[in-house]
Amino acid sequence: MVKKKVMLVIIDGIGSLPVRDGKTEWELTRTPNLDRFMRCGVYGLMYSIRMGVIPGSDTSHLNILGYTPEKYYPGRGPLEALGAGIVLKEGEIAFRANFATVDDMFNVIDRRAGRVSTQEAYLLSKEIEHMVIDGYEFFFKSTIEHRGVLVVRGKLPGRHIEDTDPHETGKPVVWPKPSGDGARLANAITKYTKEVYKRLSRHNINTNRKLPANIVLLRGAGVYKKVEPFEKRYGMRACCIAGGALYKGIARYVGMDVIDVKGATGGYDSDLDAKAHAARELIKTYDFVMLHVKGMDNAGHDGNIRMRVNMIKKIDRMLGKLTDLKDTIMVITGDHSTPPTKMAHSHEPVPIIIYGVEARDYGARKFCEVECGKGELGRICGDQLMQLILSYSGRTEKYGS
Ligand code: ZN
Ligand code: ZN
């Protein structure tokens, strides 16, 4: 049997709940290209993690790729660090970090430091990019606007590493508890944070700012560990196209190549034509291309139905450019639902189509959650997807004789 190539399109926050006249945005919007996929593909619904679980984007992507988060989730910090292009070594701790403003009692005044610019944050980061404290080495890198990552190298404690970020304005920085075998690291993080405050407070960029970027708050700590690479596990050379750092980080974590596409922003304005064009080129040399589109999730969090409808039209146009790929199966699904009525992720399953395969006709003609629910795939869980992909792309053998 010919082994087909695989294009996995992940539409972040794809699923919804009724927003008008009992219908979801997918039911209310014309999607000629996706409808064509439905007429010659298999479809169903997918619980990206498990029935009843509200998925995070990080855990659900890992599960969909067959890396069950219970075993493989390293925490958000390492994924963000990998996404920022940092090469992590085994046993290093990574945090998500952000510039913020505190008063002289370390109470948080603004969690984004008055929306410090990427350029200003970069210049500030130079002042704190490397420090050695009590045997721990700290590496800081700024990314976009107030965001950044902190990597810590040194002896690991046997317990969870807390956030210093209080996650609310008006509250003080949370100093990590110096207890048990985590005491030395806790003290080092406290000293680091105070030294950052000292250095940033006197920085000339901050002297004129009403809200000085005078501290770095830490959250999402995790310890990096290598995992079995995607190619070794599935026999497919894989790459990823995504705008957001998290998704690039997830791809790097499982050993995919990450291809930067100009205009792929991870926002509403992302250039989906450019992404489709890049995906068409990449599928010539890779066996597996993961194409991630973020905008619908953003619109869901904003409760913006109109923007979700616009994104659906844009995504359908993008998919229209990918209908004729030779010897390739297309898998179109999402990582979770983000209904604009909830302005948050929800546990409802997401639609899924596998196109470019021999399929029975279950009669659905319109791409949407409800019609997908009538298909052959029924309701699968995210960790079953790779097995299906292997079978539909001709990579499995008979089980038994
Ligand atoms: Zn997501
Ligand atoms: Zn989200």
Side-chain angles (χ1 to χ4, degrees):
M1 193 172 169
V2 190
K3 286 181 185 159
K4 289 189 176 178
K5 299 199 171 198
V6 181
M7 188 166 304
L8 171 62
V9 181
I10 299 198
I11 303 168
D12 207 298
I14 185 173
S16 196
L17 287 164
V19 293
R20 196 187 335 134
D21 303 331
K23 290 188 161 71
T24 71
E25 304 88 295
W26 288 102
E27 291 173 288
L28 293 167
T29 312
R30 256 174 50 79
T31 51
N33 292 306
L34 272 158
D35 299 351
R36 186 159 10 131
F37 289 150
M38 283 213 75
R39 286 194 294 274
C40 22
V42 289
Y43 45 89
L45 290 170
M46 179 171 77
Y47 290 101
S48 59
I49 295 185
R50 259 191 321 277
M51 199 182 260
V53 174
I54 301 173
S57 289
D58 44 13
T59 46
S60 70
H61 273 77
L62 286 174
N63 204 44
I64 288 167
L65 295 172
Y67 293 81
T68 44
E70 290 86 348
K71 183 165 175 205
Y72 292 102
Y73 182 52
R76 184 78 178 241
L79 297 176
E80 292 279 347
L82 292 168
I86 294 173
V87 180
L88 290 175
K89 294 198 185 76
E90 287 239 330
E92 286 181 340
I93 306 158
F95 291 88
R96 299 176 83 183
N98 60 289
F99 283 106
T101 307
V102 291
D103 63 16
D104 49 15
M105 300 297 287
F106 288 100
N107 291 307
V108 176
I109 312 277
D110 190 309
R111 292 191 66 247
R112 292 169 177 170
R115 293 204 169 260
V116 62
S117 72
T118 302
Q119 176 62 13
E120 287 171 317
Y122 173 74
L123 295 171
L124 289 165
S125 76
K126 292 283 135 196
E127 208 59 41
I128 56 169
E129 65 183 349
H130 183 229
M131 287 187 214
V132 181
I133 298 167
D134 295 348
Y136 284 95
E137 214 171 341
F138 293 78
F139 303 90
F140 180 81
K141 183 179 176 179
S142 64
T143 55
I144 294 168
E145 294 167 355
H146 57 282
R147 301 178 194 92
V149 287
L150 178 75
V151 175
V152 185
R153 189 183 295 164
K155 193 175 175 301
L156 291 172
R159 64 171 169 88
H160 176 69
I161 303 150
E162 307 109 311
D163 296 355
T164 62
D165 187 343
H167 297 270
E168 257 180 82
T169 46
K171 293 211 167 149
V173 171
V174 183
W175 304 113
K177 284 179 204 69
S179 63
D181 73 343
R184 208 157 69 98
L185 176 60
N187 283 328
I189 289 171
T190 298
K191 284 185 197 169
Y192 172 79
T193 304
K194 288 184 174 164
E195 180 63 25
V196 164
Y197 173 75
K198 210 167 94 189
R199 291 189 191 187
L200 293 182
S201 296
R202 62 177 184 232
H203 198 288
N204 57 9
I205 281 184
N206 274 330
T207 45
N208 294 322
R209 289 184 67 82
K210 216 172 97 200
L211 291 166
N214 58 9
I215 199 129
V216 164
L217 301 174
L218 307 175
R219 63 203 156 106
V223 177
Y224 174 68
K225 230 178 107 190
K226 274 203 181 75
V227 300
E228 185 188 18
F230 190 90
E231 183 174 355
K232 184 152 180 263
R233 183 179 282 198
Y234 300 117
M236 291 186 273
R237 253 191 91 222
C239 72
C240 166
I241 300 169
L246 172 66
Y247 309 96
K248 294 180 183 183
I250 291 166
R252 288 196 179 110
Y253 179 62
V254 302
M256 291 184 188
D257 290 342
V258 171
I259 312 296
D260 284 318
V261 174
K262 202 166 165 265
T265 61
Y268 294 140
D269 60 342
S270 200
D271 186 345
L272 300 193
D273 282 348
K275 282 172 131 172
H277 182 76
R280 281 191 80 92
E281 287 303 308
L282 289 165
I283 201 73
K284 292 176 188 164
T285 48
Y286 285 89
D287 305 307
F288 186 102
V289 175
M290 179 163 91
L291 171 56
H292 179 269
V293 181
K294 179 75 176 162
M296 281 199 78
D297 182 54
N298 305 359
H301 286 288
D302 291 345
N304 191 336
I305 295 165
R306 209 176 51 178
M307 192 52 92
R308 277 179 68 86
V309 167
N310 285 343
M311 279 309 301
I312 287 173
K313 290 179 186 161
K314 245 177 107 171
I315 289 165
D316 192 65
R317 274 198 302 275
M318 174 190 84
L319 292 171
K321 297 192 167 73
L322 299 169
T323 49
D324 60 339
L325 300 175
K326 280 212 169 51
D327 297 323
T328 301
I329 65 165
M330 294 270 296
V331 183
I332 301 152
T333 187
D335 57 344
H336 51 78
S337 297
T338 314
T341 49
K342 293 196 169 171
M343 297 172 78
H345 298 183
S346 76
H347 67 87
E348 282 81 9
V350 295
I352 174 168
I353 305 187
I354 304 179
Y355 168 79
V357 302
E358 277 186 278
R360 302 179 187 128
D361 185 356
Y362 286 79
R365 295 291 178 262
K366 168 75 187 99
F367 179 81
C368 61
E369 298 87 340
V370 173
E371 291 291 301
C372 276
K374 297 173 182 167
E376 171 163 323
L377 297 179
R379 279 140 181 75
I380 62 168
C381 285
D383 57 3
Q384 296 171 296
L385 181 61
M386 284 308 300
Q387 181 66 43
L388 274 171
I389 286 176
L390 290 174
S391 276
Y392 278 118
S393 67
R395 287 182 171 79
T396 46
E397 303 280 332
K398 181 166 64 180
Y399 175 57
S401 66

